[in-house]
């Protein structure tokens, strides 16, 4: 039995290891650090309350236990104004102690950064992907948010269809995505790296796979990315031009933002991505897998099957998409 408990405990603790970019307890951003401060604050306060309650409980158990030879009903007490005042006032003080920093942090994180060079990004949650539009930079991406290290990034969170929640565990967040409402927050990354992002609100069949990544790079690398994203991609080879034609006929309806009812991600710079659908490695083979059967990759995705193309047409389409850098 001891062995079973040990094995179970090991398994549970092994789950805590996981991906360091998903660790709330080791934040790499200011917002995450503030949130960790709140977690610690409320946790230690709770520990204090727990210790006091358990101490009184154990004291009462021992002090007023049934003793040998004393078989009479103990004296009964009814009502105590002092006690009632204590157990009303103490929790009020404790709640206030918790509420003040919580409310302060909440307003602080919703503030628009005043720095002139603060980056502003409109985040839109869709079933089951994330869209990022950079204000003033004319950049639209999906599943991948690039930010410079050490700079505040202001996020305007919009919802397109159902409730989602934006969350980058190591940087901060978990802010609701609500259709018809705009929520705001800011993030920064203090260390370069790739941080895993998650949808944190059950939103349908593809919820568990509604992932994205935050790439925090130094300013020079970020500027290079911006320049690359702003450069128009032009089909060069015959195969890419053929692929462009196939794309226009089959994909543009949803992927150009012209159809307000069905919106797929903007693919004009698809070749720069590091993932496909936010979860697969960005390579030809995975792109084919995604195109031929999106449901096998991300159940519930609105992307239709593109399984009717001739092999040569599929080659051209893949070639074209991958060339869009
Ligand atoms: Cu979107 Cu869960």
């Amino acid at each position: 039995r001891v062995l079973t408990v040990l094995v179970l405990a090991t398994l549970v603790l092994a789950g805590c290891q996981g991906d360091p970019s998903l660790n709330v307890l080791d934040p790499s951003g200011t917002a995450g650090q503030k949130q960790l401060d709140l977690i610690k604050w409320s946790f230690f306060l709770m520990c204090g309350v727990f210790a006091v309650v358990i101490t009184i409980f154990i004291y009462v158990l021992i002090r007023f236990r049934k003793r040998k030879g004393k078989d009479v009903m103990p004296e009964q007490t009814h009502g105590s104004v002092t006690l009632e005042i204590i157990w009303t006032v103490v929790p009020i003080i404790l709640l206030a102690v918790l509420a003040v920093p919580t409310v302060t942090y909440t307003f602080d994180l919703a503030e628009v950064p005043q720095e002139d060079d603060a980056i502003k990004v409109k985040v839109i949650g869709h079933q089951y992907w994330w869209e990022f539009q950079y204000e003033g930079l004319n950049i639209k991406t999906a599943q991948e948010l690039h930010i410079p290290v050490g700079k505040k990034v202001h996020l305007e969170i919009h919802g397109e269809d159902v409730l989602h929640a934006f969350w980058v565990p190591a940087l901060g967040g978990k802010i609701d995505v609500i259709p018809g409402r705009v929520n705001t927050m800011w993030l920064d990354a203090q260390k370069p790296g790739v941080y895993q992002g998650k949808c944190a609100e059950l939103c349908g069949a593809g919820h568990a796979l509604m992932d994205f990544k935050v790439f925090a790079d130094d300013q020079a690398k970020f500027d290079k990315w911006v320049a690359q994203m702003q450069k128009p991609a032009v089909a060069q080879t015959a195969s890419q031009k053929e692929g462009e034609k196939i794309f226009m006929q089959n994909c543009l309806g949803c992927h150009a933002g012209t159809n307000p009812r069905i919106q797929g991600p903007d693919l004009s710079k698809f070749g720069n991505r590091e993932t496909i659908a936010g979860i697969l490695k960005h390579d030809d083979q995975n792109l084919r897998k995604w195109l031929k059967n999106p449901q096998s990759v991300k159940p519930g995705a609105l992307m239709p099957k593109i399984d009717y193309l001739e092999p040569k047409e599929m080659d051209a389409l893949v070639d074209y998409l991958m060339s869009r850098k």
Side-chain angles (χ1 to χ4, degrees), residues 126-130 162-165 199-204 206-208 210:
H126 300 264
Q127 275 175 321
Y128 301 98
W129 58 282
W130 297 92
V162 298
L163 293 177
H164 304 274
C199 175
E201 177 79 52
L202 185 62
C203 54
H207 160 71
M210 192 171 159

Side-chain angles (χ1 to χ4, degrees), residues 267-273 275-276 282 287 321-322 324:
L267 299 177
S268 50
K269 301 298 278 180
F270 180 78
N272 283 333
R273 298 262 200 93
T275 55
I276 288 169
H282 194 262
L287 178 56
L321 284 170
M322 285 303 197
R324 313 216 73 198

Side-chain angles (χ1 to χ4, degrees), residues 99-249:
V100 171
T102 307
V103 173
T104 316
Y105 281 0
T106 305
F107 280 102
D108 188 17
L109 285 178
E111 225 166 66
V112 183
Q114 292 308 311
E115 294 87 355
D116 290 338
D117 58 349
I119 289 168
K120 292 185 180 161
V121 181
K122 186 172 166 188
V123 178
I124 307 165
H126 300 264
Q127 275 175 321
Y128 301 98
W129 58 282
W130 297 92
E131 182 171 356
F132 303 109
Q133 299 178 0
Y134 289 71
E135 197 189 295
L137 293 178
N138 193 25
I139 293 176
K140 258 191 200 176
T141 65
Q143 317 293 25
E144 295 174 8
L145 176 66
H146 288 250
I147 61 171
V149 167
K151 246 192 206 163
K152 281 185 182 176
V153 179
H154 184 247
L155 304 173
E156 226 182 49
I157 319 269
H158 296 250
E160 196 60 44
D161 34 45
V162 298
L163 293 177
H164 304 274
F166 176 92
W167 191 30
V168 191
L171 298 183
K174 210 189 242 181
I175 188 161
D176 281 334
V177 177
I178 303 166
R181 199 197 132 92
V182 181
N183 279 336
T184 58
M185 74 166 294
W186 60 263
L187 276 183
D188 63 4
Q190 297 296 340
K191 280 186 290 196
V194 182
Y195 302 97
Q196 185 70 37
K198 285 266 167 202
C199 175
E201 177 79 52
L202 185 62
C203 54
H207 160 71
L209 298 173
M210 192 171 159
D211 289 3
F212 62 100
K213 284 184 167 59
V214 179
F215 295 83
D217 294 314
D218 55 54
Q219 189 68 43
K221 200 171 167 197
F222 175 75
D223 291 342
K224 225 174 120 189
W225 177 79
V226 169
Q228 175 77 19
M229 289 298 285
Q230 286 173 335
K231 209 174 69 187
V234 184
Q236 307 277 349
T237 65
S239 148
Q240 287 165 11
K241 283 180 183 155
E242 170 67 15
E244 186 172 28
K245 242 187 259 165
I246 296 163
F247 182 81
M248 300 280 192
Q249 288 159 359

Side-chain angles (χ1 to χ4, degrees), residues 66-71:
K66 189 175 177 186
R67 287 162 212 255
K68 249 186 210 163
K70 263 196 156 187
D71 206 14

Side-chain angles (χ1 to χ4, degrees), residues 296-316:
S296 73
V297 176
K298 197 184 265 189
L302 291 179
M303 166 81 186
K305 276 184 183 179
I306 311 294
D307 56 357
Y308 46 81
L309 296 178
E310 299 290 327
K312 254 185 103 178
E313 293 176 316
M314 182 55 108
D315 291 345

Side-chain angles (χ1 to χ4, degrees), residues 1-11:
R1 228 181 261 167
V2 174
L3 195 68
T4 318
V5 171
L6 279 177
V7 169
L8 282 177
T10 316
L11 284 176

